[in-house]
Amino acid sequence: MRPGEEWVALKMAERGGRGSGGHGSLDKSITLPPDEIFRNLENAKRFAIDIGGSLTKLAYYSTVQHKVARVRSFDHSGKDIENEPLYEISVQEEITARLHFIKFENTYIETCLDFIKDHLVNTETKVIKATGGGAYKFKDLIEKKLGLKVDKEDVMTCLIKGCNFVLRNIPHEVFAYQKDSDTEFRFQTNHPNVFPYLLVNIGSGVSIVKVETEDKFEWIGGSSIGGGTFWGLGALLTKTKKFDELLQLASKGQHTNVDMLVKDVYGGAYQTLGLSGNLIASSFGKSTTADKEFSKEDMAKSLLHMISNDIGQLACLYAKLHNLDKIYFGGFFIRGHPVTMRTITYSINFFSKGEVQALFLRHEGYLGAIGAFLKGAEQDNPNQYSWGENYAGSSGLMSTSPDVYPMQRTRSGTFDMLEMDRLERPLVNLPLLKDPSTYIPDTVDLTDDAMARKYWLTCFEEALDGVAKRAAASQPDSVDALERAEKFRQKYWNKLQTLRQQPFAYGTLTVRSLLDTREHCLNEFNFPDPYSKVKQKENGIALKCFQSVIESLDSLGWEERQFALVKGLLAGNVFDWGAKAVSDVLESEPQFGFEEAKSKLQERPWLEDSYSQWLERLKEGPPHKCALIFADNSGIDIILGVFPFVRELLSRGTEVILACNSGPALNDVTYSESLIVTERIAAMDPVIQSALREEKLLLVQTGSSSPCLDLRYVVQCPLVTCLQQLQDVPSLGSGRAQPPFPKQITVEQPRGVALSGFTDLYH
């Protein structure tokens, strides 16, 4: 048990190991952490269930009440505002929707149903959608325990709906398996067009389905040789009855002791046909001539290779026949086991000569439950929304190594969770992206780079106490703020330790995903904006300096002013509380300000320096039609760095779109805060005031609550509408870890201006 965590034991009371309802002996007790399993059950509105041969997957929709930070401008009319706060901060309650998915062994189904029944309070439904073979077997038990009518849904329809849902909504859902690599999983960037694809579902047998659209799919083939074959023959050969134990035997076996290889037949490689000597010529071929007993491990390994190779070749042939290059594998036969994925991957690569890729899904075990839920929620049209994985409440992908994090493997082997939050607005690709599938929003892949991973995880660990302290300080009137801050600290610390052992748990590990996970954990314990008071104070201080900065810039010659504006952008972007070195300076030197930051900028050439090209473009080319700027930090950054630059572009006749986060993250300026700041600047500056009045300056929200940009997911709003109509757009990332994006229309991104020059201050 982890410190400070209360646990509740659900016993099989009054059953004492007796069989119940004809469903076998349910004599196990289970211990559940209430803050992790069946979360928010009291607010569950709708249910679905997928019951397979050994695992049950439960889905439910709930409403979640959490705190959000709101800002509202004070009415300063007729008042001396010199010492008044810029705006009012309030924390309000908001209700949002969340999807919960829980996976557990069928052994626990009766106990879990009892627990659900005892905690249901506000459910609105009288029906539970059910799929999978067990939907028939456990129908009476479910109806008796929950008092809900079981409405059975087609298995394949649910699988396809679930697969389409995760492919659309979860970045890095898809991965390829890599043998003998430091990182077992190579995650794929989601393509906005997920169709067509081949889904190979390996259950007792094999079903091969071609999926062409959301609702158009067809069964094109299959095989009776599948997971049931492996299990059945394996039980006969090894006397091992449990599927996972059989796979464990296979992971320890050596198939070459049983299988006849090409070199056993020809004495080496078969050069004429280009066959390697280590290729299997005959599965179990040595059993006909060897005068010895074979080990259970070797036989299990040979059997697994035989069936996996057969499935791989069959899937490859169907993919080639239908001109498909993507095959997603799912079903209980996969279940994240390395030997299975490795063999299927090898088989697909061998038979397709590398033209077809074997792909696996992080959440393939939930596809049926997700699809069944979607079938039951069609009247709410859940596909019109965007959904995001809540890292704070999701288990993450388990390591396939039995030696990695064994305690967590034991627990997750029993219970596994996925949570998805409904986002306020649908998210779409930024229209400037030519091919979103090739766009990579992160500059460093921490899954691959072990040194960088160790460095960044240590940075986040060292900063954690400070973040927890600031979270508690942001709610001084709350009697339980310190207790909640400590729970946040523990939860995020545990997430970091998990990511040290299994960096692939939530897809490709990046600085962005570490920040997102921290924000999710903060929100989990009702700290919606720990830096709200810091931003309020810094915005007020920076506004008092705005006019003097503008006067200083206006006194310079044109070329000198352009350089000063760029230096202002760089210096302003230093004020990022997410950088530990910077936060240490800001904590210890409260007088450190804009001029001090400019004085510490390194001399040119910068790390990435395109200033000369930018200046030449301004001199020789016509004014840009529009500039898109993604604002970063509050205070000095946006007010003294970004807005003078915006003002200069407006003076040239360039329209400006200023995009800000929809929700808080670190000290990043939010859209609602930017409206108040811009209003105050407009009252001081006629250029900004005129641009707002004539709609030459447009403020929009990105739809993000993350400290880092991901242009694959922006809110459908005036930003997207404007960009769809533009032909000439310079874009500034304002230091937001944003690599250049491919060009669809004429795009100029002076990346060296936006991203360089302050590296030494960060590190």
Side-chain angles (χ1 to χ4, degrees):
M1 298 184 186
R2 295 195 291 266
E5 197 174 53
E6 296 180 359
W7 291 61
V8 59
L10 302 181
K11 304 293 185 184
M12 302 300 298
E14 301 177 357
R15 285 194 285 275
R18 297 188 303 272
S20 177
H23 302 295
S25 176
L26 301 177
D27 59 351
K28 291 188 179 181
S29 297
I30 52 177
T31 303
L32 307 181
D35 63 332
E36 294 184 13
I37 310 288
F38 298 117
R39 287 154 41 98
N40 208 43
L41 190 60
E42 66 277 7
N43 293 318
K45 307 297 182 185
R46 190 177 293 113
F47 288 89
I49 196 166
D50 174 18
I51 309 176
S54 58
L55 293 175
T56 295
K57 286 77 68 177
L58 179 73
Y60 61 95
Y61 160 91
S62 75
T63 53
V64 180
Q65 191 170 23
H66 62 95
K67 297 184 186 300
V68 294
R70 302 292 189 200
V71 297
R72 182 173 64 87
S73 181
F74 284 120
D75 180 9
H76 291 115
S77 57
K79 297 180 182 179
D80 178 12
I81 64 172
E82 183 66 24
N83 297 311
E84 291 288 328
L86 177 62
Y87 47 79
E88 177 187 14
I89 304 170
S90 63
V91 177
Q92 302 172 7
E93 296 288 340
E94 185 176 85
I95 295 177
T96 57
R98 176 174 289 172
L99 298 180
H100 306 256
F101 303 97
I102 303 168
K103 181 168 60 179
F104 52 88
E105 295 174 10
N106 289 353
T107 311
Y108 302 124
I109 189 168
E110 189 166 354
T111 300
C112 290
L113 290 174
D114 282 336
F115 183 78
I116 294 168
K117 177 184 177 182
D118 292 342
H119 290 77
L120 280 182
V121 178
N122 299 316
T123 185
E124 299 172 347
T125 186
K126 300 299 181 185
V127 175
I128 180 170
K129 291 288 185 178
T131 189
Y136 298 88
K137 178 180 179 181
F138 291 98
K139 175 180 180 293
D140 293 341
L141 180 66
I142 295 169
E143 291 185 340
K144 175 184 175 182
K145 293 290 184 182
L146 299 185
L148 302 176
K149 181 180 182 298
V150 172
D151 187 5
K152 296 184 286 293
E153 292 289 343
D154 176 67
V155 173
M156 195 55 63
T157 300
C158 291
L159 281 173
I160 299 301
K161 279 190 171 293
C163 190
N164 294 341
F165 183 84
V166 297
L167 290 177
R168 279 196 314 270
N169 287 285
I170 303 182
H172 299 152
E173 170 65 24
V174 179
F175 66 90
Y177 184 78
Q178 296 185 124
K179 179 184 177 183
D180 301 328
S181 172
D182 290 338
T183 53
E184 298 165 278
F185 310 104
R186 174 66 62 185
F187 290 95
Q188 311 286 302
T189 301
N190 288 9
H191 196 286
N193 300 317
V194 300
F195 308 108
Y197 64 84
L198 204 66
L199 178 63
V200 179
N201 190 60
I202 313 171
S204 298
V206 179
S207 291
I208 301 176
V209 182
K210 179 183 179 182
V211 184
E212 298 184 75
T213 68
E214 187 69 42
D215 299 308
K216 183 181 179 182
F217 59 88
E218 64 172 322
W219 184 90
I220 59 174
S223 173
S224 61
I225 301 174
T229 313
F230 173 70
W231 200 346
L233 285 178
L236 291 173
L237 289 168
T238 69
K239 310 303 180 187
T240 301
K241 297 296 185 181
K242 291 188 176 181
F243 186 82
D244 285 326
E245 290 180 7
L246 194 59
L247 280 167
Q248 192 67 17
L249 285 175
S251 69
K252 299 175 182 177
Q254 177 56 260
H255 77 96
T256 55
N257 292 334
V258 181
D259 293 340
M260 186 177 294
L261 307 183
V262 169
K263 65 183 178 183
D264 296 323
V265 179
Y266 297 102
Y270 194 160
Q271 300 290 354
T272 304
L273 297 180
L275 300 179
S276 163
N278 292 320
L279 199 66
I280 298 174
S282 174
S283 296
F284 289 90
K286 289 181 180 177
S287 62
T288 61
T289 57
D291 186 19
K292 65 174 183 178
E293 292 290 328
F294 295 105
S295 72
K296 293 180 179 181
E297 291 82 0
D298 292 346
M299 288 190 292
K301 184 66 166 286
S302 175
L303 181 62
L304 182 62
H305 273 276
M306 181 180 76
I307 291 172
S308 298
N309 280 326
D310 183 69
I311 294 171
Q313 183 177 22
L314 190 64
C316 181
L317 290 172
Y318 275 109
K320 300 283 280 185
L321 182 64
H322 291 270
N323 296 315
L324 300 173
D325 59 6
K326 291 182 296 186
I327 308 178
Y328 298 124
F329 287 89
F332 85 85
F333 184 67
I334 304 295
R335 287 175 65 174
H337 287 279
V339 179
T340 310
M341 293 190 294
R342 182 187 308 160
T343 309
I344 288 176
T345 299
Y346 176 85
S347 177
I348 292 290
N349 186 63
F350 176 82
F351 289 113
S352 74
K353 295 181 170 58
E355 295 179 3
V356 179
Q357 194 169 20
L359 298 170
F360 306 92
L361 303 172
R362 271 207 296 141
H363 300 104
E364 61 88 13
Y366 292 111
L367 301 186
I370 293 172
F373 174 83
L374 294 173
K375 287 288 289 182
E378 286 177 339
Q379 66 270 27
D380 297 331
N381 196 11
N383 283 330
Q384 72 178 328
Y385 302 102
S386 292
W387 300 80
E389 184 175 2
N390 175 30
Y391 298 142
S394 298
S395 303
L397 186 65
M398 286 300 303
S399 171
T400 56
S401 169
D403 301 321
V404 173
Y405 229 53
M407 289 184 63
Q408 181 157 350
R409 285 186 56 80
T410 300
R411 278 189 57 200
S412 295
T414 303
F415 284 87
D416 186 85
M417 291 77 68
L418 166 65
E419 290 184 355
M420 298 191 70
D421 289 331
R422 192 177 75 190
L423 307 182
E424 289 185 24
R425 300 167 185 84
L427 300 182
V428 297
N429 299 137
L430 191 77
L432 298 179
L433 296 180
K434 182 178 181 181
D435 182 3
S437 66
T438 62
Y439 164 79
I440 300 175
D442 304 291
T443 52
V444 181
D445 182 347
L446 303 182
T447 319
D448 277 345
D449 192 332
M451 288 185 61
R453 179 170 69 247
K454 180 179 179 181
Y455 169 80
W456 280 107
L457 287 171
T458 300
C459 283
F460 278 89
E461 288 171 353
E462 292 176 348
L464 183 52
D465 286 344
V467 175
K469 179 180 177 182
R470 186 167 297 283
S474 71
Q475 298 178 10
D477 299 328
S478 174
V479 294
D480 65 343
L482 284 173
E483 179 185 355
R484 286 186 287 113
E486 174 58 20
K487 287 183 177 180
F488 151 73
R489 191 193 69 78
Q490 289 178 13
K491 184 149 200 169
Y492 189 57
W493 174 267
N494 289 332
K495 292 287 183 184
L496 292 175
Q497 304 322 301
T498 297
L499 290 168
R500 278 194 182 277
Q501 300 292 336
Q502 11 184 123
F504 42 76
Y506 300 106
T508 301
L509 183 65
T510 63
V511 175
R512 176 172 52 87
S513 67
L514 287 171
L515 289 164
D516 287 346
T517 304
R518 187 168 71 182
E519 293 299 321
H520 292 184
C521 291
L522 282 166
N523 283 317
E524 197 67 29
F525 295 100
N526 282 321
F527 293 110
D529 193 355
Y531 289 84
S532 57
K533 295 189 182 301
V534 172
K535 293 187 289 181
Q536 181 191 47
K537 178 182 177 181
E538 291 183 347
N539 283 331
I541 292 172
L543 280 169
K544 294 176 183 178
C545 303
F546 178 77
Q547 284 182 302
S548 63
V549 169
I550 293 300
E551 290 171 2
S552 174
L553 288 167
D554 286 348
S555 69
L556 301 174
W558 182 85
E559 190 162 329
E560 190 179 3
R561 185 169 68 250
Q562 304 313 309
F563 188 63
L565 285 165
V566 169
K567 287 186 66 176
L569 281 174
L570 295 174
N573 199 252
V574 166
F575 292 84
D576 186 336
W577 284 83
K580 186 177 184 301
V582 174
S583 64
D584 289 345
V585 170
L586 298 179
E587 290 274 17
S588 60
E589 301 179 38
Q591 300 306 312
F592 185 86
F594 191 46
E595 295 303 320
E596 288 79 4
K598 286 195 289 186
S599 70
K600 289 185 177 291
L601 291 177
Q602 66 188 61
E603 296 296 323
R604 293 187 64 203
W606 296 317
L607 182 63
E608 289 189 48
D609 194 328
S610 60
Y611 174 71
S612 298
Q613 296 94 306
W614 171 250
L615 186 65
E616 189 66 23
R617 169 63 179 82
L618 294 181
K619 285 181 179 179
E620 303 296 334
H624 298 92
K625 181 176 182 180
C626 181
L628 167 61
I629 300 178
F630 291 92
D632 193 357
N633 309 301
S634 292
I636 288 175
D637 189 5
I638 187 171
I639 294 170
L640 304 185
V642 172
F643 260 103
F645 189 80
V646 168
R647 182 177 178 270
E648 183 75 12
L649 291 172
L650 291 168
S651 299
R652 282 174 51 84
T654 299
E655 297 179 13
V656 177
I657 301 172
L658 186 59
C660 302
N661 269 10
S662 297
L666 296 171
N667 66 317
D668 292 356
V669 63
T670 64
Y671 171 69
S672 56
E673 291 163 348
S674 73
L675 294 175
I676 297 172
V677 166
T678 305
E679 179 187 12
R680 291 292 300 276
I681 290 176
M684 294 185 278
D685 191 276
V687 175
I688 301 297
Q689 186 178 64
S690 175
L692 284 173
R693 184 175 59 250
E694 298 173 8
E695 297 185 345
K696 302 294 186 183
L697 172 59
L698 181 65
L699 275 67
V700 299
Q701 52 187 320
T702 62
S704 172
S705 297
S706 171
C708 300
L709 287 173
D710 186 344
L711 299 180
R712 296 169 300 178
Y713 304 103
V714 298
V715 70
Q716 179 73 54
C717 66
L719 168 62
V720 173
T721 304
C722 287
L723 292 178
Q724 287 170 338
Q725 300 171 357
L726 296 176
Q727 294 182 352
D728 188 16
V729 183
S731 169
L732 286 176
S734 192
R736 306 211 59 190
Q738 180 56 44
F741 42 75
K743 298 180 181 181
Q744 180 181 29
I745 56 182
T746 305
V747 176
E748 296 176 15
Q749 185 186 30
R751 183 171 183 255
V753 172
L755 301 180
S756 305
F758 53 88
T759 307
D760 289 346
L761 281 178
Y762 264 81
H763 302 291

